[in-house]
Amino acid sequence: MARQLAGMVVAITGASAGIGRALAVDLAARGASLALAARRRDRLDALAATFATPVLVYAADVADPAQCASFIAAAQARFGRLDTLVCNAGYGLLKGAVESTPEEWRAIFATNLHGTLDCIRAALPAMRAQDPVAGWRGQVMIVSSILGRRASPWTAAYSATKAAQLSLAEALRVELRPARIAVTSVHPIGTRTEFLDVAAPGRPVVDDGLRQSAEHVARRMTAAIRRPCPEVWPSRPSRWLTSLATLCPGLADLAAARLARGVAPP
Ligand SMILES: NC(=O)c1ccc[n+]([C@@H]2O[C@H](COP(=O)([O-])OP(=O)(O)OC[C@H]3O[C@@H](n4cnc5c(N)ncnc54)[C@H](OP(=O)(O)O)[C@@H]3O)[C@@H](O)[C@H]2O)c1
């Protein structure tokens, strides 16, 4: 049974740019009530001012567990329930595995993995106590990546966080099913956002024509919020290619080396 988007309460981390912002725009147009978090509050305020639906704007750094907890508490206090929590906040790091410093490894895990887990941990107690709507008490959506299934060179730290998010989603999905809480992981390929400006600052972004729009990814996420499913692959071929890569890792290494020629750090 599909859930009604109008009136649904959705919390989104990382809503000030890119995929999170596009999802907020799509859901607001469909009448959902939104709780939006990011560090750049001015951007969230400007975005919320364009919406006709109820919006809570919250400045939070998800690398800080206390800020995750206070964002979720504020969302649940404002709206009285939380139908879907979208753990989207994250960033990339385009650097060799051992050239990335221990501090860079720890920092990216703090945001991408622990930020995800700390928001989920904060949201679950109240979500478990909610009455089900269309068969679900709630939903946790985790924005991983295609790189969560198969890492590419120069992205070891980032890909490891995305694989960890996928593992979290796979385990949690089965653990939470008896409570009727859905868990959905999202696996975009390269998407036109501010991602590369952060992952490789100062390097010109070459549009290879393969990247998706944030709006396309957002529409696929909205469909999975309406009808919760285990995984969202906004590019269908990428799902089959990564499955093939697990069967033929040597072949996948050759393909990855070829594809990575354009992204290797100077
Ligand atoms: N773009 C791609 O090619 C691609 C592909 C696969 C997966 N993804 C995933 O999609 C998600 C969104 O990325 P995007 O492409 O939309 O990138 P983006 O345009 O750079 O947006 C990232 C968002 O995350 C927020 N954020 C980053 N660190 C944060 C922190 N510590 N606390 C709170 N918010 C934080 C940013 O807000 P503030 O800076 O205002 O805090 C921003 O709103 C990420 O998890 C990324 O790994 C992206």
Side-chain angles (χ1 to χ4, degrees):
M1 210 191 323
R3 303 193 298 171
Q4 285 285 337
L5 294 171
M8 177 186 283
V9 181
V10 183
I12 308 171
T13 65
S16 63
I19 293 170
R21 185 185 193 283
L23 180 65
V25 169
D26 196 49
L27 288 170
R30 296 164 197 269
S33 299
L34 300 173
L36 307 179
R39 292 165 300 181
R40 289 171 291 181
R41 183 175 177 137
D42 53 332
R43 284 202 179 198
L44 295 177
D45 283 332
L47 180 63
T50 66
F51 294 163
T53 49
V55 188
L56 169 78
V57 160
Y58 204 90
D61 181 342
V62 299
D64 177 353
Q67 294 185 42
C68 293
S70 57
F71 166 55
I72 298 298
Q76 287 170 330
R78 164 77 190 270
F79 295 112
R81 66 180 284 128
L82 187 49
D83 294 293
T84 294
L85 165 65
V86 183
C87 299
N88 164 77
Y91 68 95
L93 179 64
L94 203 60
K95 223 170 169 185
V98 293
E99 285 78 23
S100 312
T101 64
E103 292 73 27
E104 285 172 324
W105 274 85
R106 287 194 181 88
I108 200 167
F109 267 85
T111 294
N112 293 9
L113 176 66
H114 295 287
T116 295
L117 184 54
D118 290 333
C119 287
I120 295 170
R121 205 191 294 283
L124 283 182
M127 214 180 245
R128 282 180 194 276
Q130 293 174 172
D131 289 334
V133 174
W136 295 106
R137 286 205 158 76
Q139 178 188 34
V140 170
M141 180 173 269
I142 298 175
V143 183
S144 171
S145 167
I146 181 178
L147 300 180
R149 270 276 153 74
R150 166 76 209 197
S152 64
W154 318 112
T155 68
Y158 172 69
S159 295
T161 67
K162 296 287 135 181
Q165 284 182 308
L166 172 57
S167 293
L168 171 64
E170 287 173 342
L172 204 56
R173 183 157 55 241
V174 182
E175 292 174 21
L176 293 181
R177 196 171 173 86
R180 300 305 299 157
I181 295 173
V183 179
T184 301
S185 60
V186 183
H187 302 272
I189 59 168
T191 305
R192 290 188 295 277
T193 65
E194 296 172 16
F195 182 84
L196 285 178
D197 304 333
V198 178
R203 287 188 56 193
V205 176
V206 182
D207 198 341
D208 53 13
L210 294 176
R211 293 194 298 151
Q212 309 169 118
S213 72
E215 290 71 25
H216 168 75
V217 177
R219 281 192 296 275
R220 297 295 308 277
M221 291 166 72
T222 295
I225 290 172
R226 201 165 162 265
R227 275 183 201 279
C229 58
E231 295 182 2
V232 175
W233 289 79
S235 158
R236 284 206 183 93
S238 68
R239 181 175 215 165
W240 304 116
L241 284 172
T242 49
S243 302
L244 199 62
T246 62
L247 295 173
C248 313
L251 206 59
D253 288 351
L254 291 176
R258 216 182 150 79
L259 281 171
R261 264 185 221 147
V263 297

PDB file of all heavy atoms in Angstrom, residues 61 109 163 242:
ATOM      1  N   ASP A  61      25.550  20.093  12.733  1.00  0.00           N
ATOM      2  CA  ASP A  61      26.692  19.372  12.153  1.00  0.00           C
ATOM      3  C   ASP A  61      26.513  17.913  12.564  1.00  0.00           C
ATOM      4  O   ASP A  61      26.607  17.580  13.757  1.00  0.00           O
ATOM      5  CB  ASP A  61      27.993  19.954  12.717  1.00  0.00           C
ATOM      6  CG  ASP A  61      29.224  19.268  12.144  1.00  0.00           C
ATOM      7  OD1 ASP A  61      29.109  18.147  11.589  1.00  0.00           O
ATOM      8  OD2 ASP A  61      30.315  19.854  12.253  1.00  0.00           O
ATOM      9  N   PHE A 109      34.469   9.480   8.344  1.00  0.00           N
ATOM     10  CA  PHE A 109      33.616   8.492   9.017  1.00  0.00           C
ATOM     11  C   PHE A 109      32.693   9.181  10.033  1.00  0.00           C
ATOM     12  O   PHE A 109      31.539   8.772  10.212  1.00  0.00           O
ATOM     13  CB  PHE A 109      34.452   7.392   9.695  1.00  0.00           C
ATOM     14  CG  PHE A 109      34.649   6.195   8.788  1.00  0.00           C
ATOM     15  CD1 PHE A 109      35.671   6.170   7.851  1.00  0.00           C
ATOM     16  CD2 PHE A 109      33.772   5.113   8.847  1.00  0.00           C
ATOM     17  CE1 PHE A 109      35.828   5.090   6.983  1.00  0.00           C
ATOM     18  CE2 PHE A 109      33.917   4.031   7.981  1.00  0.00           C
ATOM     19  CZ  PHE A 109      34.950   4.014   7.053  1.00  0.00           C
ATOM     20  N   ALA A 163      30.239   2.003   1.970  1.00  0.00           N
ATOM     21  CA  ALA A 163      30.046   0.564   2.183  1.00  0.00           C
ATOM     22  C   ALA A 163      29.547   0.317   3.608  1.00  0.00           C
ATOM     23  O   ALA A 163      28.695  -0.543   3.845  1.00  0.00           O
ATOM     24  CB  ALA A 163      31.361  -0.174   1.942  1.00  0.00           C
ATOM     25  N   THR A 242      27.499  -3.341 -10.923  1.00  0.00           N
ATOM     26  CA  THR A 242      28.171  -3.589  -9.630  1.00  0.00           C
ATOM     27  C   THR A 242      27.969  -5.050  -9.206  1.00  0.00           C
ATOM     28  O   THR A 242      28.849  -5.628  -8.567  1.00  0.00           O
ATOM     29  CB  THR A 242      27.672  -2.649  -8.519  1.00  0.00           C
ATOM     30  OG1 THR A 242      26.255  -2.656  -8.510  1.00  0.00           O
ATOM     31  CG2 THR A 242      28.188  -1.244  -8.684  1.00  0.00           C
TER      32      THR A 242
END
